[in-house]
């Protein structure tokens, strides 16, 4: 019997960077009832107009297999790689966190940012914007710590991932 | 060679001519006038004027399915495009190659809520295999050629090309089909090495095997059906067909078990259930076929041959998947079977056929025809008898409902591409326009739309189209005044509370026929039936034969929803035992 456990997979797609391609990918997930946990898109080969889409999804092994087959069937999709299934990979997220405050909380925010190797990329007398990169868990932990220290805003990417080794 | 420059509309027509297109089904409007102007100026492409865009797409589907060629549609922007959506979805579900041009407001007005503007590529994205919005006349020829490649290769399907009006007027350069190749889309047609050998050893080792074949075999071309027939004969194994696969294997062949599934043959479903090997060729383990999934063919190993990898392991996990064109895989299987001198296990096969024959003995299609009222089953058997006597090649289309299932059960399908029905989407109103498309492609054939009175009303405006082009289609209405399948489900599942399933105020179909310039005939008793069918077939022009049938007849055999495929109701006497589970109630 096929496993019914829900697995999380990171998929890496190469697609033609043409109008509507993202809508096709997202529409496939919503139309067929699949989950998107995060999504990151950018052009990686401007000369040939090719973009990479990293999508983190979850489902039973049978659903994951369906998602990959359905994605691969889309006409502008060049390739679908299941990083989770294919071997070790590196995944990172980036967040920018705005913290507003004065006095001791402000110093504490700076101190914790240092521990997390988050960099202030903007500062005023009353605020910082920290840039933090790392695993999703690390970013989550940083944000949790910043919240009581006057955090007012967060902007964060989905997961970026690439296979390890050659 | 000098560059050929012309406007976008002319580029479309030129590209279609180079693709070998001879017929376009369409309906004009403001946003496609330049294309219609180009159609006017030439004689190579024939345009068939539908009466509603939905009809145009279904006609193109009938044309495509009966010829194996691409059906081409041309409609205007906004409502023209939205009306086409049902037909496009139908073509997607049943894997029919369609290229549909939609007009669009000029590029600079897109997004402005302009008159007759709709987000056509947005609306049709989930109901097409692929779609395009052309932004420059220089892209026109490439996109048209690419669209034909996408529509026909791999698993076929509909492609929409949205053409803004300024692109139709603007000048661009023509490129021939040979210079166009899609850069990422290239589906696998040849099976991976070793897979066919693995399938052959499973085939030779099987004790209770069955071939389960679907529309993919028909899409692979008539040669694939011939190879399939040879392979089935070489093995001596039984072969059952899906609704879409009728005709892929000769229905009168002793090795054919007929259609399987919800209203399939008792012997076909029982054989599937008890088999130890299912060879699925170009079918997709659809919910109409499998019944309750956890009880589906529990002891069978499964081989799945399909060109679409996403069909594999979608509903049912299979033991061996062979991705490839059914025709190519079947050729390799047949060659391998012969070359390795494989033989079926004779004793096991004899036992297997003995079981199958006991199921056949149940004669699941039996019915009782009285003296006064025409039974639909009888009407179809008489229709088949008359078709058999006629020298012309017969093509059947259907609408959707009880009459469709009865047609699938009681008519005979010997060859591929002769049976056009809306299988996946189940579109009422499909059959009449589809019949027009079939008849346009095969002017000398005998084309019959087996219809129900409710379905017929859904696209009856196309009667005007049939009259205009003098396409002599025969509409055989099994008229029971009810939306029969809805009524049947209300009887079986909803305590006989027949909410809104009776059609009051039906037209007089004989008069309706006459007012469109058709011939109208009617049979109300079994005694009148043969004369009416004979007259229908002999009449030189479109005909409605209004066959007034038993009003309360149900379609059997039937797997109740949510039941296992071995758990069939064979007739009215079984109805009382039917207890549909609450899980089954929610299924359609």
């Amino acid at each position: 019997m096929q496993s019914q456990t829900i697995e999380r997979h990171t998929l890496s797609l190469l697609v033609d960077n043409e109008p509507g391609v993202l809508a096709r990918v997202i529409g496939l997930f919503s139309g067929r009832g699949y989950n998107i946990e995060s999504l990151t898109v950018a052009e990686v080969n401007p000369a040939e107009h090719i973009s990479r889409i990293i999508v983190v999804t979850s489902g039973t092994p049978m659903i994951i297999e369906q998602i990959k087959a359905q994605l691969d069937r889309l006409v502008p999709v060049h390739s679908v790689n299941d990083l989770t299934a294919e071997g070790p990979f590196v995944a990172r997220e980036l967040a920018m966190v705005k913290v507003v405050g004065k006095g001791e909380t402000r110093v504490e925010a700076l101190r914790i940012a240092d521990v997390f190797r988050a960099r202030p990329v903007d500062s005023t007398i009353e605020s910082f914007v920290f840039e933090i990169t790392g695993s999703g868990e690390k970013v989550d932990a940083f944000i949790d710590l910043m919240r009581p220290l006057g955090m007012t805003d967060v902007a964060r990417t989905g997961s970026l991932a690439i296979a390890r080794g050659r | 060679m000098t560059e050929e420059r012309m406007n976008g509309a002319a580029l479309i027509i030129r590209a279609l001519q180079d693709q070998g297109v001879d017929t376009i089904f369409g309906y004009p409007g403001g946003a496609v006038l330049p294309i219609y102007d180009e159609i006017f100026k030439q004689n190579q492409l024939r345009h068939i004027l539908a009466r509603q865009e939905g009809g145009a797409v279904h006609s193109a589907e009938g044309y495509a399915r009966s010829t194996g060629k691409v059906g081409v549609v041309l409609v205007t922007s906004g409502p023209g495009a939205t009306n086409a959506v049902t037909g496009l979805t139908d073509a997607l579900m049943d894997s029919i190659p369609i290229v549909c041009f939609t007009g669009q407001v000029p590029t600079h007005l897109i997004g402005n809520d302009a008159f007759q503007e709709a987000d056509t590529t947005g609306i049709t994205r989930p109901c097409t295999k692929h779609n395009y919005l052309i932004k420059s006349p220089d892209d026109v020829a490439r996109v048209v050629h690419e669209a034909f490649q996408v529509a026909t290769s791999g698993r076929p399907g509909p492609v929409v090309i949205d053409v803004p009006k300024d692109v139709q007027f603007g000048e661009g350069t023509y490129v021939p089909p040979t210079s166009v190749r899609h850069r990422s889309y290239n589906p696998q047609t040849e099976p991976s090495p070793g897979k066919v050998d693995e399938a052959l050893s499973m085939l030779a080792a099987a004790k209770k095997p069955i071939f389960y074949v679907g529309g993919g075999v028909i899409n692979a071309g008539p040669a694939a059906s011939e190879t399939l027939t040879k392979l089935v004969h070489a093995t001596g194994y039984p072969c059952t067909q899906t609704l879409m696969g009728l005709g892929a294997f000769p229905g009168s062949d002793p090795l054919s078990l007929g259609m399987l599934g919800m209203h399939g043959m008792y012997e076909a479903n029982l054989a599937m259930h008890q088999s130890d090997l299912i060879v699925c060729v170009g079918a997709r383990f659809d919910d109409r076929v499998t019944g309750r999934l956890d009880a589906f063919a529990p002891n069978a190993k499964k081989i799945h041959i399909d060109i679409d990898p996403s069909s594999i392991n979608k509903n049912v996990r299979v033991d061996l998947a062979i991705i490839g064109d059914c025709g190519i895989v079947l050729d390799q299987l047949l060659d391998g079977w012969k070359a390795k001198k494989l033989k079926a296990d004779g004793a096991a096969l004899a036992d297997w056929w003995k079981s199958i024959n006991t199921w056949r003995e149940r004669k699941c299609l039996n019915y009782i025809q009285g003296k006064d009222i025409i039974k639909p089953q009888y009407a179809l058997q008489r229709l088949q008898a008359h078709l058999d006597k006629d020298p012309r090649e017969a093509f059947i289309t259907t609408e959707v409902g009880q009459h469709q299932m009865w047609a699938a059960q009681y008519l005979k399908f010997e060859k591929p591409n002769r049976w056009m029905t809306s299988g996946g989407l189940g579109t009422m109103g499909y059959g009449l326009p589809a019949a027009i498309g079939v008849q346009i492609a095969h002017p000398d054939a005998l084309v019959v739309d087996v219809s129900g009175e409710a379905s017929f009303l859904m696209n009856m405006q196309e009667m005007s189209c049939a009259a205009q082009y003098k396409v002599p289609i025969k509409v055989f209405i099994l008229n029971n005044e009810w939306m029969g399948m809805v009524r049947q489900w209300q009887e079986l599942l909803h305590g006989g509370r027949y909410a809104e399933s009776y059609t009051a105020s039906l037209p007089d179909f004989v008069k309706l026929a006459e007012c469109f310039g058709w011939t109208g005939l009617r049979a109300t008793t079994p005694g009148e039936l043969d004369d009416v069918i004979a007259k229908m077939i002999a009449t030189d022009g479109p005909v409605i034969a209004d066959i007034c049938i038993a009003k309360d007849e149900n379609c059997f055999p039937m797997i109740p929803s949510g039941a296992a495929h071995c758990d069939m109701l064979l007739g009215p006497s079984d109805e009382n035992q039917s207890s549909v589970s609450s899980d089954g109630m929610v299924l359609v």
Side-chain angles (χ1 to χ4, degrees):
Chain A
M1 210 50 208
Q2 187 63 30
S3 163
Q4 291 302 304
T5 44
I6 303 288
E7 297 175 358
R8 174 191 281 191
H9 282 241
T10 302
L11 309 181
S12 175
L13 284 66
L14 284 177
V15 303
D16 284 329
N17 183 14
E18 62 183 25
V21 66
L22 190 56
R24 263 179 236 287
V25 170
I26 293 170
L28 188 144
F29 277 81
S30 63
R32 292 184 184 267
Y34 307 143
N35 295 315
I36 296 183
E37 295 192 358
S38 88
L39 185 79
T40 311
V41 192
E43 192 169 73
V44 290
N45 182 344
E48 293 181 35
H49 304 291
I50 293 188
S51 292
R52 187 175 291 284
I53 298 179
I54 306 283
V55 51
V56 180
T57 183
S58 58
T60 63
M62 204 155 161
I63 295 283
I64 299 284
E65 194 187 339
Q66 261 298 299
I67 292 173
K68 289 187 275 183
Q70 293 288 353
L71 285 169
D72 210 17
R73 198 160 78 125
L74 296 176
V75 170
V77 170
H78 290 247
S79 64
V80 179
N81 285 92
D82 182 346
L83 298 177
T84 307
E86 289 171 13
F89 64 98
V90 195
R92 289 290 179 271
E93 291 180 26
L94 183 148
M96 292 199 237
V97 180
K98 183 175 285 181
V99 182
V100 178
K102 283 180 172 174
E104 187 50 34
T105 55
R106 181 173 159 85
V107 177
E108 184 61 16
L110 200 58
R111 216 163 13 225
I112 291 173
D114 194 43
V115 172
F116 276 77
R117 290 187 209 159
R119 227 156 43 90
V121 288
D122 174 74
S123 61
T124 66
I125 299 295
E126 294 187 335
S127 72
F128 284 120
V129 175
F130 294 114
E131 172 200 301
I132 178 166
T133 320
S135 68
E137 292 79 10
K138 178 182 168 188
V139 175
D140 286 345
F142 182 70
I143 289 171
D144 283 347
L145 288 171
M146 287 298 118
R147 195 169 286 120
L149 298 176
M151 185 181 86
T152 58
D153 235 342
V154 181
R156 69 189 280 185
T157 65
S159 188
L160 274 177
I162 199 160
R164 285 183 189 270
R166 295 170 71 190
Chain B
M1 216 175 86
T2 52
E3 274 194 347
E4 289 180 85
R5 306 264 310 160
M6 57 193 96
N7 71 37
L11 284 166
I12 288 172
I13 300 302
R14 174 66 194 281
L16 289 178
Q17 289 170 343
D18 279 1
Q19 286 289 345
V21 175
D22 51 25
T23 310
I24 305 177
F25 299 90
Y27 201 102
V32 282
L33 285 178
I35 304 176
Y36 272 87
D37 202 30
E38 292 300 324
I39 290 175
F40 188 85
K41 292 180 197 161
Q42 55 85 52
N43 286 316
Q44 202 175 327
L45 293 179
R46 183 182 186 202
H47 180 272
I48 304 295
L49 177 64
R51 294 303 187 265
Q52 203 253 25
E53 291 85 353
V57 185
H58 293 319
S59 289
E61 284 186 274
Y63 177 95
R65 210 180 272 202
S66 65
T67 59
K69 295 198 271 184
V70 175
V72 180
V73 182
L74 171 57
V75 299
T76 192
S77 63
T82 56
N83 277 342
V85 164
T86 299
L88 293 168
T89 312
D90 193 273
L92 183 73
M93 293 285 270
D94 286 347
S95 309
I96 311 298
I98 297 286
V99 171
C100 175
F101 293 89
T102 54
Q104 184 55 278
V105 300
T107 322
H108 68 274
L109 284 179
I110 289 178
N112 271 19
D113 298 327
F115 177 64
Q116 289 196 331
E117 182 187 356
D119 174 10
T120 301
T121 48
I123 290 168
T124 61
R125 204 171 283 130
C127 66
T128 53
K129 185 172 172 185
H130 194 48
N131 63 17
Y132 296 89
L133 170 63
I134 303 185
K135 293 278 185 63
S136 153
D138 277 323
D139 291 336
V140 169
R142 174 187 61 81
V143 167
V144 175
H145 297 319
E146 216 175 88
F148 273 76
Q149 191 199 331
V150 170
T152 52
S153 60
R155 180 173 175 177
V159 178
V160 159
I161 306 177
D162 201 24
V163 196
K165 200 169 179 184
D166 56 327
V167 173
Q168 299 171 34
F169 276 121
E171 208 171 79
T173 304
Y174 185 72
V175 292
T178 45
S179 63
V180 176
R181 180 103 207 111
H182 198 283
R183 65 182 188 145
S184 62
Y185 182 71
N186 190 18
Q188 177 181 356
T189 54
E190 288 275 346
S192 310
K195 296 277 189 184
V196 167
D197 284 344
E198 211 177 316
L200 284 169
S201 18
M202 288 168 80
L203 266 174
K207 310 272 183 222
K208 299 172 171 185
I210 184 167
F211 283 96
Y212 149 49
V213 305
V217 178
I218 293 171
N219 276 335
S225 292
E226 282 173 32
T227 315
L228 171 73
T229 308
K230 285 183 194 154
L231 179 66
V232 173
H233 284 165
T235 56
Y237 296 166
C239 177
T240 179
Q241 304 96 45
T242 67
L243 179 68
M244 298 304 298
L246 292 173
F249 184 77
S252 62
D253 194 293
L255 300 182
S256 171
L257 303 189
M259 183 173 78
L260 82 167
M262 184 174 268
H263 291 290
M265 306 291 284
Y266 182 68
E267 53 267 37
N269 286 328
L270 267 277
M272 286 289 279
H273 185 69
Q274 305 225 349
S275 66
D276 69 349
L277 176 70
I278 291 172
V279 186
C280 168
V281 192
R284 57 188 180 94
F285 295 97
D286 167 70
D287 54 79
R288 298 292 95 161
V289 159
T290 60
R292 207 176 77 226
L293 269 174
D294 57 11
F296 174 71
N299 304 315
K301 288 205 179 308
K302 295 160 193 101
I303 300 174
H304 191 173
I305 302 166
D306 207 295
I307 201 159
D308 176 9
S310 76
S311 284
I312 308 287
N313 294 335
K314 184 165 67 178
N315 303 323
V316 170
R317 182 148 281 276
V318 298
D319 300 278
L320 174 65
I322 307 183
I323 310 290
D325 181 277
C326 288
I328 295 173
V329 178
L330 286 167
D331 275 340
Q332 295 186 3
L333 281 171
L334 180 61
D335 291 349
W337 184 269
K338 286 189 198 152
K340 294 178 183 233
K341 299 198 171 32
L342 295 174
K343 287 264 178 309
D345 178 340
L349 189 59
D351 276 352
W352 181 224
W353 274 107
K354 209 157 115 194
S355 308
I356 292 172
N357 285 330
T358 44
W359 299 323
R360 270 185 173 161
E361 283 309 307
R362 293 289 294 268
K363 299 203 180 308
C364 66
L365 292 186
N366 271 3
Y367 62 93
I368 299 159
Q369 172 62 57
K371 279 205 163 51
D372 305 323
I373 301 169
I374 303 171
K375 285 289 180 82
Q377 302 92 329
Y378 179 69
L380 287 163
Q381 284 182 329
R382 294 315 303 155
L383 173 66
Q384 183 65 55
H386 284 266
L387 294 178
D388 287 343
K389 280 187 287 181
D390 197 278
R392 287 169 290 180
E393 188 102 60
F395 290 75
I396 305 291
T397 72
T398 75
E399 312 288 342
V400 167
Q402 284 183 322
H403 68 272
Q404 176 191 28
M405 292 299 114
W406 282 317
Q409 293 170 337
Y410 290 88
L411 298 179
K412 280 189 258 150
F413 305 98
E414 303 299 317
K415 289 183 191 168
N417 305 103
R418 303 292 186 276
W419 162 249
M420 271 55 61
T421 194
S422 172
L425 192 63
T427 311
M428 290 172 72
Y430 166 88
L432 170 64
I436 293 172
V438 174
Q439 188 84 75
I440 294 284
H442 307 272
D444 301 322
L446 181 54
V447 182
V448 181
D449 169 26
V450 176
S451 182
E453 76 293 334
S455 283
F456 183 78
L457 292 184
M458 281 214 182
N459 265 328
M460 57 169 252
Q461 77 283 349
E462 301 304 325
M463 292 178 76
S464 168
C465 173
Q468 178 183 344
Y469 298 99
K470 299 188 171 55
V471 288
I473 55 172
K474 318 300 178 201
V475 178
F476 192 71
I477 300 182
L478 296 175
N479 184 350
N480 59 7
E481 300 174 18
W482 289 86
M483 295 159 210
M485 196 59 93
V486 175
R487 194 203 56 76
Q488 176 168 344
W489 279 56
Q490 287 172 333
E491 180 184 319
L492 296 176
L493 292 153
H494 294 275
R497 293 179 295 280
Y498 300 120
E500 304 296 325
S501 52
Y502 182 78
T503 315
S505 306
L506 281 169
D508 177 331
F509 285 103
V510 173
K511 284 185 183 158
L512 180 68
E514 283 161 4
C515 81
F516 274 100
W518 289 34
T519 304
L521 304 168
R522 177 173 294 126
T524 53
T525 63
E528 295 168 351
L529 186 61
D530 275 276
D531 276 355
V532 165
I533 297 175
K535 210 177 282 176
M536 172 184 93
I537 288 178
T539 301
D540 187 23
V543 182
I544 289 181
D546 181 20
I547 311 298
C548 303
I549 58 160
K551 295 193 204 308
D552 53 0
E553 190 72 7
N554 283 340
C555 186
F556 292 109
M558 177 179 185
I559 304 173
S561 56
H565 64 158
C566 56
D567 208 5
M568 299 193 84
L569 308 180
L570 284 180
S573 56
D574 286 352
E575 279 178 38
N576 300 333
Q577 317 163 10
S578 119
S579 53
V580 174
S581 65
S582 54
D583 287 345
M585 285 285 280
V586 302
L587 301 175
V588 286

